[in-house]
Amino acid sequence: MDTVPTDGTEVTGIVTDTEGVLFQFHATAGTTYLLDTEVGTLLDTVMVLIDSDQTTSIAENDDDERANGHLDSYIEWTCARTGMYYVNVYG
């Protein structure tokens, strides 16, 4: 699985398999992050927010609950501890 470093700005990536792409970003304690996918190369995405240990799942979303019938993923998360975090996007 490839790891794509990000700086908090929008990243356009292509995910083409079930293993996915791992996005890496630095998060600051007390900051709320909005993590969002859009369907494209995958018809249905799953997103998992992973702790800095690269093992522990903090949050997971399959279908965006903000709108019925949307198969993209959305996580709203407030960082508790400053550090490096990861988001795995797959389908």
Side-chain angles (χ1 to χ4, degrees):
M1 176 181 332
D2 293 329
T3 300
V4 178
T6 66
D7 63 3
T9 58
E10 180 178 324
V11 174
T12 300
I14 296 175
V15 180
T16 58
D17 62 35
T18 56
E19 189 174 288
V21 173
L22 193 64
F23 295 91
Q24 172 187 343
F25 69 102
H26 184 269
T28 303
T31 301
T32 298
Y33 294 87
L34 309 177
L35 309 169
D36 191 21
T37 66
E38 299 298 329
V39 294
T41 54
L42 298 172
L43 299 178
D44 185 2
T45 63
V46 177
M47 179 168 41
V48 181
L49 175 61
I50 303 169
D51 204 346
S52 55
D53 65 7
Q54 295 187 33
T55 304
T56 306
S57 295
I58 298 171
E60 181 173 345
N61 183 264
D62 183 5
D63 298 327
D64 189 346
E65 292 94 17
R66 297 174 300 163
N68 288 337
H70 286 233
L71 300 178
D72 53 345
S73 302
Y74 177 81
I75 294 173
E76 185 172 330
W77 168 70
T78 301
C79 180
R81 183 180 71 253
T82 297
M84 196 63 64
Y85 291 86
Y86 303 86
V87 176
N88 185 18
V89 177
Y90 63 95

